[in-house]
Amino acid sequence: MSAQPHKPEDLKYNPSHEWVGVSEQDGQRIATVGITAFAIEQLTDLVYMALPDVGAAVKAGEEFGEVESVKAVSPLYSPVDGEVIEVHTELVDALETLGDDPYGNGWIMRVKLADGANLDGLLDFANYTQQCSES
Amino acid sequence: MDGRVLVDIARPGADNMAIDQRMLETAAETGRLLLRVYRWREPTLSLGYFQKYLEFQEYVQQTSRSASPSVPVVRRATGGGAIVHHHDWTYSIAVPPAAGQTSKGLATGPAQKLYDCIHAEIALWLTEIGYAARLWDVSDESDRCPPKAGCSFLCFERRSRGDIVVGNTKVLGSAQRRHQGAVLQHGSLLLQRSEFAPSLSGLQEIAENPTVFAQDLGSALAQRISRSVDAYLPGEPTAVQALEELGIGDFAGIGQFSDHNWLTCR
């Protein structure tokens, strides 16, 4: 399922390298979540991925999935509170997509934001970029 | 460094995995580095986190070992392939989140960094006791193991960059799991061939060496691993005598590794 690429400058970020972009759809706020190009470069060869189920509740800062690369299992942390409404299941058998198009077709899940959910605790592009440069 | 090291007793597989998990959580919570070396109370096969239980069943059928169905199986929380723990020493180290310049990069950097850090020291130690150990490197794409193209079920039949090999024999491999900025790495040093994995040679098959089965081998292994991370987290870790002194006496609360649903979740 293809997707319009997001501009990294327009996104918000977890310190743990997940990105999120929010749009309005039919009066609801929908968050699209992925992992950053920096994270994918650090992970190197991705071999497995576990995704959440549609309908699952996710909470900011809590795990929603996992990836494995070089025998290391790394959790993915949700940047937002809400309900998973769509999962990019094709990624599991085409993990190279994450690296090829991390901010577009590499999207991982879409979340209907919970009432009152906000992105205040997340990093903007400038701060996220600085964090990456310091690591 | 606020670190503690334990040369542990041999325990059942599920307990070993629960303790490793608790070490990871404790490192994340307390900022303390924890190191444990241990053995397994009985021959046990550990599956990698993403391996399918069906793969284990097929392995049992293919090897047609009448004793295999009685080998306990546990699913690790770390990646990689299956390991038969019989004649091996296992180490597990829980590295806390970056807490200043001296620890920077070990827990938060690429996974390969911690593999290389610890494996290089163990390889040096093996060389000192008479084995021509080296870190395996990927020299060309064909040496890699594409997971979708029928990777070997057993970890020690695979090759990953940084694995410790002696000649063409892999003698040590490790795997990781990350949690809240901390990282758990554990690995097994193969001492001798097991009848439950007859294709795999250990150190004793490469060259008989009394050091390999010396009483203090576990202590020596722990000492060298401590040394390997000293550059990042300076200071000798404190040797302790019991899990409670590691701050993880409550590992029994982690029941997932005894849960059949966890074992067969894939």
Side-chain angles (χ1 to χ4, degrees):
Chain A
M1 186 177 298
S2 62
Q4 288 290 336
H6 295 81
K7 292 181 184 177
E9 297 83 356
D10 296 339
L11 301 172
K12 293 285 192 142
Y13 300 85
N14 265 339
S16 50
H17 309 293
E18 296 83 8
W19 60 259
V20 59
V22 178
S23 61
E24 289 275 344
Q25 293 179 24
D26 300 325
Q28 292 182 329
R29 293 189 303 154
I30 305 299
T32 303
V33 178
I35 52 179
T36 68
F38 178 86
I40 293 162
E41 185 180 334
Q42 295 269 298
L43 289 167
T44 61
D45 296 331
L46 288 165
V47 295
Y48 293 109
M49 184 174 216
L51 297 173
D53 293 327
V54 172
V58 293
K59 295 200 66 171
E62 295 187 1
E63 295 184 21
F64 74 86
E66 292 153 323
V67 291
E68 178 178 335
S69 66
V70 291
K71 300 180 291 178
V73 176
S74 298
L76 304 175
Y77 296 97
S78 177
V80 295
D81 296 339
E83 177 190 340
V84 178
I85 60 170
E86 196 174 1
V87 174
H88 195 177
T89 53
E90 292 89 346
L91 276 181
V92 172
D93 292 321
L95 290 171
E96 66 276 7
T97 309
L98 287 163
D100 292 343
D101 191 12
Y103 304 104
N105 211 24
W107 69 275
I108 297 174
M109 67 174 181
R110 295 199 168 104
V111 175
K112 182 177 72 176
L113 290 182
D115 292 339
N118 61 63
L119 310 184
D120 293 347
L122 300 176
L123 302 171
D124 62 19
F125 177 70
N127 286 318
Y128 174 70
T129 303
Q130 182 172 0
Q131 175 194 276
C132 293
S133 69
E134 292 171 353
S135 63
Chain B
M1 159 175 39
D2 181 8
R4 297 179 190 174
V5 56
L6 171 66
V7 180
D8 203 1
I9 60 174
R11 297 179 187 270
D15 285 0
N16 276 331
M17 296 299 93
I19 293 167
D20 284 357
Q21 178 68 24
R22 194 69 190 99
M23 285 172 59
L24 174 60
E25 295 168 357
T26 300
E29 292 164 6
T30 67
R32 181 177 300 137
L33 180 138
L34 300 175
L35 170 61
R36 182 173 75 108
V37 293
Y38 59 92
R39 302 194 72 171
W40 302 64
R41 184 176 294 177
E42 55 193 332
T44 303
L45 186 144
S46 70
L47 283 172
Y49 183 68
F50 276 104
Q51 283 189 295
K52 292 182 170 58
Y53 185 71
L54 178 62
E55 295 180 63
F56 163 69
Q57 294 173 310
E58 290 173 346
Y59 173 74
V60 169
Q61 285 182 343
Q62 286 165 9
T63 55
S64 297
R65 305 205 64 79
S66 60
S68 290
S70 69
V71 176
V73 183
V74 293
R75 180 181 293 278
R76 302 192 305 270
T78 57
I83 300 175
V84 173
H85 303 279
H86 189 182
H87 303 299
D88 67 328
W89 270 98
T90 303
Y91 78 91
S92 61
I93 184 169
V95 180
Q101 191 67 29
T102 52
S103 68
K104 188 174 178 179
L106 258 193
T108 57
Q112 196 65 44
K113 186 165 187 173
L114 185 58
Y115 290 135
D116 290 346
C117 174
I118 290 175
H119 288 189
E121 185 64 35
I122 297 175
L124 177 60
W125 170 57
L126 289 174
T127 302
E128 291 170 2
I129 63 172
Y131 295 96
R134 61 185 174 87
L135 302 190
W136 190 83
D137 198 7
V138 177
S139 56
D140 62 54
E141 289 293 316
S142 65
D143 284 340
R144 290 167 57 187
C145 181
K148 306 297 185 190
C151 240
S152 179
F153 174 69
L154 295 176
C155 167
F156 278 78
E157 288 182 346
R158 304 179 181 184
R159 296 290 180 271
S160 299
R161 185 183 144 210
D163 286 344
I164 297 181
V165 296
V166 178
N168 291 324
T169 302
K170 177 174 170 177
V171 297
L172 186 141
S174 301
Q176 294 179 4
R177 185 174 187 93
R178 300 194 162 205
H179 171 73
Q180 297 293 349
V183 60
L184 168 75
Q185 177 168 311
H186 55 197
S188 281
L189 177 64
L190 212 53
L191 305 180
Q192 187 176 11
R193 178 178 289 123
S194 168
E195 61 262 41
F196 299 102
S199 64
L200 302 175
S201 299
L203 293 174
Q204 281 293 79
E205 283 75 42
I206 295 170
E208 288 201 10
N209 186 328
T211 306
V212 170
F213 287 99
Q215 288 291 323
D216 61 349
L217 187 78
S219 298
L221 180 61
Q223 185 182 45
R224 297 307 287 253
I225 296 171
S226 296
R227 184 188 298 185
S228 73
V229 297
D230 185 69
Y232 296 91
L233 292 162
E236 193 76 20
T238 303
V240 299
Q241 303 303 316
L243 286 179
E244 288 73 16
E245 293 178 85
L246 286 183
I248 55 172
D250 60 344
F251 75 90
I254 299 179
Q256 69 190 63
F257 299 100
S258 303
D259 188 340
H260 189 70
N261 290 328
W262 162 265
L263 174 63
T264 58
C265 67
R266 290 183 225 290

